[in-house]
Amino acid sequence: MSDKIVTYHVEPSKSSRSSCKKCKEKIEKGVLRIGYSVQDGDKTLSSWYHPKCFNMPKKINGNLTKGMSVADFVEEHVADPHGLYDDEDKLAEIIADIESKPPKTEKSNIFADKIATYKRALDNMENDDDEGKPSAAKKAKTDMEEIARAYAVYKPMKNAELQDVLRWNLGYATSGTKDVLLVRCVDGHVNGRLGRCPVCSQGKLGLSDEDAGDTIKCPGYWDEDLNIKTRCTYAVPNSSAPRLKPWYAEEPSEEQKEEMKEFTEQQKALATGKSPNGPPSELLQAAKKLDWPDTSNPSQRKKACELMYDLCTSGSVKIDLPEDQKKAKQKIFGLFSTAAGPLSATEVLQSVVKEFGIAAAKAEAKAKQEKALAAGCECAANAAVLQAFQELSDLYFKAGNSNAGISNKKVAAAIQGLDFEITLGNVMGLSKGPTKVKNIGKGSADKIKEFLSTGKIQKLEEKRMLAA
C-alpha cells in the first residue's frame, strides 16, 4: 500500500453542498471551512469542518504535534490558498475558533440515572409485597429484582475489577466512569454477552452511550485489507439484540477463553455463509471418488478444473461459485497455477469452499441478515432494499472507492430511519420536493425503484461480478 500524505487548508466554502464531519451540519457557501485531505496514491479523500468543530491532530504525517500551539499549527500546516492570513484579524479569528471548544456533554449522567434505579430496586426488594398485584406488574418486579441482584454483585468492585470482567467476556469497551462500567456488567450478567453484529458479521456489538444501553449498536469494524473503518447501521432495542451465554463474572479458564474465541470465529464465518469446518462430508467423499489427474502436469489441469466445477455445481450441496461458468472455471483453474506442487481433489475442494462458501448456507445467512436488518429498521418492510445498499457500500469500499462506499452507507442509514414502507408510488419523492429525504438523491432513488421493480440493482450485480 502506498504512503498516505495528509494535508490541511482553509478556505471560504465554494458551495452549500459540503457538511461538517464533526457536527454534520451543512457548511453554507462563503463560510470558512477547514479541509482535511488524504492522498493515497492517485486517490484523494477530503473531509470538511467548521473551524470551531476542528481539532488539532495528534500527528501530522507521522510527526507528533505535542507541545505545538494552535497558532503554530495553523501558520505552518494549514495552507491558505486564498490569502486569508494577510488579514491579521481573520487569522486570529481562525485560531480562536479552533482553540475554543464547547464543553463536553456529560454522558455519564444518564448512566448515573440508570444506576440510581438499580439502587432503588435493591433497597425495595425486601419491602415490596406482591399480593394483589397483576401478573404484568409481578413480571416487571421480577425482572427489576434480577437486575438489582446483579448490581449487588458488581457494586463493591473497583473500576479495574469491573474492567477485568468486561475483558473476560470479550470485546466490551473498558473506558468510562464506574457508572458506565457497572451498567455494562449488569447488562451482560442479566442478558448474556453481546456477540458479533448479525449484519456486517465483523463489528462487535455494544451498549449505546446515548441512552445508557437501551439501544444496542454496531460501530462497524476496521478493514485490515483496505486500512479503513467500515461503518455499520445496525441498531436495535436492547431486548432484541443477539446474546451469548454464559456471562463470566469470574475469570474463565484458558480452555473457556479458547472456546469463546473459536465460537466467535465460527459465528463470523457462518454469518457470511462460509463453512467454518471446511467442506461437508458429502462433498469430501465425492471428491475422493473422482478420477483425479496429476495437476502438476499443465495438460491435465483443464480436466481437473472441469471435474471440480461439476462436483461443486451438480450435486445436492452446491458451492456459491460465480454464475458465469467461464469465470467460475477461471477461479478454480487459478488454484493450480499458484500451487507449488500437485493438488489433490480434496485440497482443491477445501480452497474453493473456503473462498466461495456453500450456496444454501449463504442464502440462509442472507435471510438472517435481512431479519436482523428488519429488527433495526423503523419500517421492517424496507429491510431488503436496505440490505442491497449495505452490500453495495461494502463492495465499493472493497474496490477502494471510499467516497462511493460512504455515500451508499448514508443512503442505507436514511432508509433505515424511514417510518413508512418505500413503494413504487412514493420512491421518487424521496429525492425531491417536500418529501425529500436527506442523503437520498435521484441516482439513489432510481436504484431503489429498480430494486422494487426487478428485485435487483444492476450496479450491485456488476460489483458482485467484479468482486468474484
Side-chain angles (χ1 to χ4, degrees), residues 143-156:
D143 291 345
M144 202 63 221
E145 285 181 347
E146 185 179 3
I147 291 172
R149 280 191 285 269
Y151 171 64
V153 172
Y154 298 105
K155 179 185 174 184

Side-chain angles (χ1 to χ4, degrees), residues 226-294:
L226 300 176
N227 199 31
I228 59 171
K229 175 71 178 285
T230 299
R231 300 170 182 167
C232 182
T233 59
Y234 182 73
V236 293
N238 189 301
S239 58
S240 302
R243 300 283 183 161
L244 304 172
K245 298 290 181 74
W247 170 266
Y248 293 97
E250 296 180 354
E251 185 172 9
S253 65
E254 291 301 318
E255 183 179 353
Q256 289 170 323
K257 289 177 183 177
E258 285 302 314
E259 286 177 357
M260 279 194 288
K261 289 178 182 177
E262 287 178 12
F263 182 78
T264 296
E265 292 305 311
Q266 287 180 351
Q267 289 300 104
K268 286 166 66 176
L270 290 170
T272 54
K274 298 294 179 68
S275 179
N277 299 316
S281 58
E282 179 181 336
L283 279 178
L284 279 173
Q285 293 304 317
K288 292 175 181 178
K289 295 177 182 178
L290 291 174
D291 182 17
W292 193 252
D294 179 8

Side-chain angles (χ1 to χ4, degrees), residues 308-382:
M308 185 54 59
Y309 178 81
D310 290 341
L311 175 66
C312 293
T313 58
S314 60
S316 58
V317 180
K318 295 180 173 59
I319 307 303
D320 191 36
L321 290 166
E323 291 183 9
D324 186 295
Q325 185 179 125
K326 183 178 178 181
K327 287 191 174 182
K329 289 181 178 180
Q330 285 175 344
K331 288 288 184 180
I332 296 172
F333 194 86
L335 297 172
F336 305 129
S337 58
T338 57
L343 294 172
S344 68
T346 55
E347 287 174 327
V348 175
L349 177 62
Q350 286 169 345
S351 296
V352 172
V353 169
K354 182 179 180 181
E355 182 170 353
F356 297 102
I358 310 297
K362 278 195 159 183
E364 183 181 353
K366 186 174 181 181
K368 287 181 178 179
Q369 185 191 54
E370 185 173 335
K371 185 178 179 180
L373 283 169
C377 261
E378 288 292 327
C379 177
N382 296 330

Side-chain angles (χ1 to χ4, degrees), residues 173-208:
T174 56
S175 59
T177 65
K178 183 171 183 177
D179 287 340
V180 175
L181 300 175
L182 275 170
V183 168
R184 290 176 187 151
C185 287
V186 170
D187 174 82
H189 191 101
V190 173
N191 300 310
R193 309 191 312 272
L194 288 166
R196 294 284 165 179
C197 174
V199 172
C200 71
S201 79
Q202 304 293 316
K204 182 69 177 68
L205 298 179
L207 278 65
S208 170

